[in-house]
């Protein structure tokens, strides 16, 4: 992108000030800034401007989940169907590993964290072990796409190469980078982190399919006739990836997507739950739940909104393509964003001074024609590592791994 092109593009969105220090930069600095302008996803800015007018939630109603007794009764049949789709190569896996891991205090990729006690056990290693288990059951490897971000791409690739993809065939592993979104100040304008650098952060986990296509991997999806993608987070060290029973259940349900869900531990657990919104499957965040919804009961007297999502989804590709161009809602997080002031002096704020913009994968559910909530046993499939200590920490994940017979 040339200086003139950048100026025109920024003028169109009222952000020419990002070039205000261009003349003070070295030749390399100028090139880097132009490249960053070209690569940054500014499309969410108009949505920031309209945030006060954002529509609220639609009419919320309960959604029936496929629960454990039903799954157990059909487990063999689901498993066979799932294995047959893995054998034919119709299903691939997508790891969302572009997050910053701020709560855990990560400086690099979360997946490189070692949670072993007597020998190294890396978070990435646990994911590859689960993949290998189901690939072995199917008798062949499946394609595995890994989304990184500008902040952790190099280290993720380097780490996995060094560990030889924990024995998984390298030709089945594909990396792609997610987009970066600009951070905006209280006045709604994009912040500069340094005279030649825009303050940006990964644009959330909702843009993964668009980023996968932009990286050119549609070729693999088409050539290999992949029709389902199992998408999951980096931090659940007990999850099953391309679990044949889950695949079989979703495929035979005729739904366009499926979501692994866990029964809520208690009424106020901070987890997004599955529901119907205006008659369509959707996910409602815990902070959006009214007292009335929290207390609602179903016909059996159980809580009506009782199944929380764990970020393990199965999506049918033709349906993903249909929604790839439609925009997801943008979520705004009020954060302390290091930046420079009007004179170019660095500001290192302790308190929030700006907004980070993110798309969420859970918003994709509502855009698809159907979703099967599929119950899994929490103690067997849900050990997320989010925080340094307390709930959802390395300690709680270790305890669950040991409980499941894993040697640390
Ligand atoms: P989280 O919401 O837990 O965010 O991500 P995080 O960035 O890992 O951690 P915090 O909030 O900074 O502490 C859930 C999943 O979505 C991925 C994460 O890597 C994780 O697998 N993710 C999140 C992305 O791939 N990109 C993003 O921009 C954000």
């Amino acid at each position: 992108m040339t200086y003139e092109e950048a100026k025109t593009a920024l003028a169109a969105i009222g952000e020419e000030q990002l070039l205000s220090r261009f003349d003070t930069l070295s030749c390399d600095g100028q090139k880097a800034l132009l490249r960053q302008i070209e690569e940054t996803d500014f499309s969410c800015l108009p949505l920031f401007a309209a945030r006060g007018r954002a529509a609220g939630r639609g009419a919320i109603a309960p959604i029936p989940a496929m629960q454990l007794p039903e799954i157990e009764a059909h487990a063999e049949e689901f498993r066979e169907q799932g294995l047959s789709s893995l054998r034919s190569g119709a299903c691939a896996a997508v790891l969302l590993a572009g997050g910053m891991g701020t709560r855990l205090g990560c400086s690099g990729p979360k997946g490189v964290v070692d949670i072993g006690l007597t020998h190294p056990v890396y978070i990435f290693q646990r994911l590859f072990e689960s993949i290998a288990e189901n690939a072995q059951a199917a008798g062949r490897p499946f394609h595995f796409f890994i989304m990184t971000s500008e902040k952790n791409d190099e280290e993720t690739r380097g780490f996995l190469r060094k560990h030889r993809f924990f024995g998984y065939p390298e030709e089945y592993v594909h990396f792609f980078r997610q987009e970066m979104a600009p951070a905006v100040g209280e006045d709604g304008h994009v912040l500069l982190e340094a005279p030649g650098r825009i303050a940006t952060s990964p644009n959330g986990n909702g843009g993964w399919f668009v980023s996968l296509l932009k990286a050119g991997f549609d070729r693999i999806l088409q050539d290999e006739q992949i029709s389902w993608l199992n998408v999951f987070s980096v931090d659940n060290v007990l999850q099953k990836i391309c679990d044949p029973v889950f695949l079989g259940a979703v495929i035979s349900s005729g739904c366009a997507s499926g979501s692994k869900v866990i029964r809520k531990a208690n009424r106020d657990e901070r987890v997004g739950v599955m529901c119907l919104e205006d008659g369509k499957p959707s996910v409602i965040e815990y902070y959006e739940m009214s007292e009335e919804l929290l207390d609602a009961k179903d016909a059996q007297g159980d809580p009506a909104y009782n199944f929380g999502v764990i970020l393990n989804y199965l999506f049918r590709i033709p349906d993903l393509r249909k929604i790839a161009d439609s925009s997801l809602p943008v979520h705004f997080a009020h954060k302390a964003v290091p930046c420079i002031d009007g004179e170019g002096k660095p500001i290192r704020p302790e308190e929030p001074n700006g907004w980070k913009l993110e798309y969420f994968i859970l918003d994709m559910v509502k855009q698809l024609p159907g979703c099967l909530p599929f119950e899994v046993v929490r103690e067997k499939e849900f050990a997320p590592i989010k925080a340094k200590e307390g709930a959802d920490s390395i300690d709680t994940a270790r305890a669950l791994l040991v409980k499941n017979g894993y040697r640390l």
Side-chain angles (χ1 to χ4, degrees):
M1 181 178 253
T2 63
Y3 174 80
E4 284 309 323
E5 285 166 345
K7 203 170 162 200
T8 310
L10 292 175
I13 52 170
E15 297 293 343
E16 306 98 299
Q17 91 285 355
L18 296 176
L19 289 169
S20 59
R21 304 195 164 263
F22 193 79
D23 292 341
T24 66
L25 304 175
S26 66
C27 188
D28 283 350
Q30 292 183 340
K31 277 193 204 146
L33 179 58
L34 293 176
R35 195 173 333 111
Q36 196 193 15
I37 292 169
E38 187 172 8
E39 288 174 359
T40 300
D41 173 17
F42 290 104
S43 63
C44 39
L45 286 180
L47 301 166
F48 178 77
R51 72 195 180 287
R53 306 191 292 278
R57 303 295 309 221
I60 303 296
I63 185 172
M66 182 181 270
Q67 299 184 28
L68 296 175
E70 187 181 353
I71 296 168
E72 275 153 28
H74 297 279
E76 266 321 299
E77 163 198 329
F78 289 155
R79 189 176 155 76
E80 256 326 298
Q81 174 144 21
L83 283 176
S84 121
S85 85
L86 287 174
R87 270 185 222 114
S88 68
C91 185
V94 183
L95 164 61
L96 305 180
M100 304 274 275
T102 331
R103 284 167 286 171
L104 189 61
C106 285
S107 55
K110 210 187 243 190
V112 309
V113 172
D114 176 7
I115 56 168
L117 290 169
T118 60
H119 60 284
V121 177
Y122 303 101
I123 293 180
F124 278 140
Q125 178 181 348
R126 284 297 305 123
L127 305 179
F128 273 91
E129 282 168 357
S130 173
I131 285 182
E133 189 181 324
N134 288 322
Q136 200 176 5
R140 58 159 287 180
F142 44 84
H143 286 277
F144 181 22
F145 300 93
I146 301 179
M147 182 169 88
T148 63
S149 76
E150 182 191 283
K151 309 270 180 197
N152 65 19
D153 183 71
E154 227 172 283
E155 203 180 333
T156 302
R157 290 173 194 247
F159 177 86
L160 290 175
R161 290 226 164 83
K162 181 171 149 216
H163 289 274
R164 296 176 184 277
F165 303 94
F166 296 101
Y168 203 68
E170 185 176 350
E171 60 278 22
Y172 281 85
V173 182
H174 317 281
F175 294 95
F176 65 102
R177 284 207 317 197
Q178 70 176 98
E179 245 79 359
M180 301 297 283
V184 297
E186 303 294 2
D187 63 358
H189 282 293
V190 176
L191 294 167
L192 280 171
E193 180 180 288
R197 195 159 171 82
I198 304 167
T200 58
S201 57
N203 69 344
N205 57 24
W208 64 273
F209 188 63
V210 172
S211 301
L212 183 99
L213 296 183
K214 274 195 185 157
F217 287 131
D218 207 18
R219 187 183 42 78
I220 298 184
L221 301 182
Q222 297 202 23
D223 289 355
E224 304 280 319
Q225 298 183 354
I226 299 169
S227 37
W228 292 91
L229 292 173
N230 181 204
V231 188
F232 57 95
S233 70
V234 70
D235 46 47
N236 178 5
V237 289
L238 259 189
Q239 68 190 314
K240 293 185 185 163
I241 297 154
C242 287
D243 169 8
V245 182
F246 177 46
L247 301 185
V250 177
I251 295 170
S252 58
S253 74
C255 287
S257 66
S259 167
K260 285 202 167 184
V261 293
I262 48 167
R263 205 168 275 265
K264 269 171 68 173
N266 55 58
R267 174 188 181 274
D268 298 313
E269 188 180 12
R270 295 169 146 227
V271 60
V273 295
M274 291 230 42
C275 62
L276 289 172
E277 183 175 358
D278 295 332
K280 298 181 75 180
S282 185
V283 180
I284 180 160
E285 287 279 23
Y286 66 89
Y287 50 80
E288 297 173 305
M289 293 281 284
S290 63
E291 292 294 311
E292 195 188 331
L293 291 179
L294 286 168
D295 290 330
K297 299 279 187 286
D298 65 15
Q300 286 72 44
D302 293 324
Y305 301 93
N306 208 18
F307 289 101
V309 289
I310 60 169
L311 216 173
N312 190 316
Y313 299 100
L314 185 67
F315 293 110
R316 198 163 61 191
I317 294 174
D319 298 277
L320 285 175
R321 287 190 204 288
K322 285 186 206 147
I323 64 164
D325 289 335
S326 53
S327 58
L328 293 172
V330 177
H331 296 258
F332 311 99
H334 206 199
K335 295 267 168 94
V337 184
C339 58
I340 55 168
D341 66 13
E343 273 83 56
K345 290 204 198 83
I347 304 176
R348 298 288 170 263
E350 303 263 307
E351 296 298 319
N353 63 326
W355 299 84
K356 288 189 173 176
L357 280 53
E358 286 191 299
Y359 298 107
F360 290 173
I361 187 171
L362 51 79
D363 290 319
M364 294 173 83
V365 171
K366 196 178 153 196
Q367 301 197 345
L368 292 164
C371 182
L372 177 75
F374 176 94
E375 184 183 3
V376 298
V377 180
R378 170 191 286 262
E379 291 73 23
K380 290 191 180 161
E381 292 202 32
F382 190 51
I385 297 178
K386 298 279 187 195
K388 275 192 197 139
E389 48 199 30
D392 300 341
S393 60
I394 295 182
D395 284 345
T396 55
R398 278 182 181 143
L400 281 162
L401 281 170
V402 169
K403 208 169 164 187
N404 280 279
Y406 199 90
R407 219 171 49 80
L408 289 169

